[in-house]
Structure formats: structure tokens, C-alpha cells
Amino acid sequence: MARRMTRTVHAALAALALVTAAATTAHATTTSSPRPSVGTLWTSDATDSGDGQSHLIGIDPSTGKETARIGVGAEAEPWSIAVTRNGRTAYVANFHNGTLGIVDTSAKKMTTAVPLGIDADYVTLSHDQKYAYVTSMVAQQLAIVDTATKRLVKTVTLPGPAEGAAVSPDGKTVYVGVYSRHEVVALDTRTGAQRAVFSAGGPFARRVQLSPDGKQLYTTDYYGGAVDVYNTARPAQAPRKVPVGGRPLDLALSPDGRTLYVSDTRSGLAAIDTRTLKARQFTITPSFGDLAVSRDGKAVYLAQYESAGSVSAFDAGSGEVTATFADGLAYPNGLALGRAS
């Protein structure tokens, strides 16, 4: 209930910002055998359980079995997860208590909770993994955390509520979707200084994703029912729009960068060919949760936050549901795939 109330308040704040701008052990059920996938699928339980903690939960995607349940704080309400490439550390954006939880996945323990002074909505890592970037919709700021010292090094004021963020391959620029402000801002990753503004797309840039070469910037236009595709070298140029319908939320690229998967809170899941920008629709249960793609590109995972209370696995080619993990999980939202720790 607390989770739903928070989402309601969150939506109200976003609407207000628009006016201002315009004015236990998891169970697994399968329809067929889950595809083998090396690593651990991490999700978050957004509500406190009997131990008084919110949790980061590990699932083996090859078996559907829960492998870890790690407390990340009382009433932490984790919304987003980022995992290092070696799978040994997970970073958890704890919305309610305003911290960045740092978890040792081998020890199955949160080692540090970095106070941010803002609500923590979304977290992403730089490519060298030296910095974590955390966005805020309520405080309208970007927090930069040094992952070596585990300290907040800078907080950058943004022009509006922000959720999604992505770092360029060279590590010099972080792109932040400014929800309700008709823009994505490009910021210097060290100083926070504004480098460019992409302002010709839809008014609700919820999440952002970069192509592997950093030349294409993808954003979900939440109320426009489309994905906007920008040329990062030409911020003043209008984006190409790919209609996907409904309310597109999260984005995840296949390992080869050729397919962009889009979760939708009304119509389910879409797959966009990044070369032709043609979209295919998969008929699945819509969700407010995050996406992840297996390392072999054959499976797509979706946190079924609102509708099913589980994490679903889909065949990347057909969109067929191949497995359902963590049945009965309370409001899973964040999702990330890490290597076996």
C-alpha cells in the first residue's frame, strides 16, 4: 500500500512539474524451461517484510530459484539497481530514505549506505565504474558518488524532475532525462556543467539509453507513446520518433546493440530494430517495472511490479513468456543482471 501511495504522490509531483514547466524463498513457475543464463538477476522488494527491511533479491535465471535476500534498510523503498561488470557489487537507489546502498553480493551484505540528501530514483554507473550517478524527481537534482571512497562528491541542480540517466562511452558526459521539461540535458560528468540540451522531443523523457558507440540517444516519451532517437552530435536536431503506444517507461539494449526493448505500463513490451527503427509489439502483461537482457541476447526480463508481483522471462525473438520468477514478490521494481559473484 505504501508503495502505491508513493507512486501516486510521485505522479502528482510530476503533473505539478509539468504545469510549472508549461506553466522468504521465491517460487518459480514456468511455461517452458527457463533459458540458461550466466549470472544473477537482481530485483528489489519495494516494501518492508517481517524483518523490517526492504530487500535486494538475487535470482538464478537458469533455475528460477532465489539465491540471496539482502536487507538494504528499513523503509528504504529501493527503486533502481546497477551492478558492476564482475557482479561483485550492486548499487541500490533507495527512494524513501534517500541513500545509495552499496552491496557486497558475495558476502550478501550491504556494506555502506551513502546519504544523498535527496530522494533516489535511478542509478547508473560510469563505464570505468568509478562513479555512480543518482537522479531525483522530487529534489530535481543529480547526485555524483565516488565508488572508491563511497562518498557523495557533488550534487547538481537540474532544470526539473529527473529519472533516467546514461553515461557516454568516453565517460565525459552524463545524459539526464528531465521529466516534463521537454528536454534531455547533457552534463559534464566531473563538474556537472551543462554541455548541451536536447529539447525538440516529447515532453516526458522518463528513461534514457545510449547506443554502444554513444552516437544515438534513446528516450522514452512517457505520455507521447513513443521512443525518441537523437543524434548526440546534433542536440538541436529534432529526434526521430518511433511509436510504441501506451506509456513507455524503461529501455534496455541487446548486447549487440541491434535491438532496443521498451517496457510499457499499458501495452506491455516492444522491440525496436535500431537500424531501421521499426517496432514489434509483444502482447504481455503491462508493468511499471524495469527491464534487463541476458548476456546472450536470447532472453528479456521484466519486473512485474504492479500487476503480477513477479519477474517474467521472455523469449527475445517471439516475446513468449518462458518463465516466471519470484511469484508473490511484493512490488518488484528495480532489475539488473550481473555476473555470478
Side-chain angles (χ1 to χ4, degrees), residues 91-118:
Y91 296 87
V92 185
N94 292 319
F95 172 81
H96 193 268
N97 67 11
T99 64
L100 180 66
I102 302 178
V103 175
D104 182 325
T105 59
S106 297
K108 299 181 180 180
K109 180 181 180 180
M110 183 174 73
T111 59
T112 307
V114 182
L116 302 176
I118 61 173

Side-chain angles (χ1 to χ4, degrees), residues 64-242:
K65 294 185 180 297
E66 181 179 305
T67 60
R69 183 173 287 259
I70 305 166
V72 293
E75 298 185 0
E77 198 172 336
W79 276 24
S80 176
I81 305 161
V83 182
T84 55
R85 283 186 293 275
N86 63 14
R88 295 175 184 171
T89 307
Y91 296 87
V92 185
N94 292 319
F95 172 81
H96 193 268
N97 67 11
T99 64
L100 180 66
I102 302 178
V103 175
D104 182 325
T105 59
S106 297
K108 299 181 180 180
K109 180 181 180 180
M110 183 174 73
T111 59
T112 307
V114 182
L116 302 176
I118 61 173
D119 54 297
D121 287 79
Y122 186 86
V123 58
T124 192
L125 298 174
S126 59
H127 287 262
D128 61 10
Q129 303 180 123
K130 292 182 179 180
Y131 294 92
Y133 299 88
V134 185
T135 59
S136 160
M137 287 190 75
V138 177
Q140 303 180 21
Q141 294 179 332
L142 175 72
I144 304 174
V145 174
D146 185 314
T147 59
T149 64
K150 301 179 181 180
R151 292 184 178 181
L152 175 69
V153 295
K154 184 178 287 291
T155 303
V156 181
T157 298
L158 299 168
E163 187 172 4
V167 182
S168 61
D170 64 8
K172 295 180 179 180
T173 307
V174 57
Y175 298 87
V176 181
V178 182
Y179 189 58
S180 82
R181 288 282 296 183
H182 298 260
E183 62 191 35
V184 176
V185 293
L187 307 174
D188 184 287
T189 51
R190 295 296 186 267
T191 67
Q194 184 172 289
R195 290 178 176 269
V197 178
F198 298 78
S199 58
F204 287 91
R206 287 297 294 264
R207 298 290 175 87
V208 300
Q209 181 72 255
L210 283 166
S211 59
D213 61 8
K215 294 181 179 180
Q216 302 296 321
L217 172 66
Y218 308 102
T219 74
T220 48
D221 178 2
Y222 188 68
Y223 286 112
V227 171
D228 294 333
V229 184
Y230 293 93
N231 181 337
T232 55
R234 298 181 178 180
Q237 186 178 77
R240 290 171 289 174
K241 285 187 168 291
V242 184

Side-chain angles (χ1 to χ4, degrees), residues 3 7 42-44 46 78-81 121-122 163 206-207 220 222 247-252 261-266 268-269 284-292 300-312 314 329-336:
R3 174 68 173 179
R7 278 291 185 193
W42 294 99
T43 189
S44 54
W79 276 24
S80 176
I81 305 161
D121 287 79
Y122 186 86
E163 187 172 4
R206 287 297 294 264
R207 298 290 175 87
T220 48
Y222 188 68
R247 297 285 186 267
L249 176 66
D250 198 26
L251 298 167
Y261 296 95
V262 187
S263 67
D264 195 295
T265 64
R266 288 194 176 179
L269 182 68
I284 67 169
T285 302
S287 172
F288 218 112
D290 286 356
L291 283 168
V300 181
Y301 306 102
L302 176 63
Q304 298 278 1
Y305 155 69
E306 189 72 34
S307 56
S310 61
V311 176
S312 294
F314 303 89
L329 181 67
Y331 305 119
N333 186 37
L335 196 65

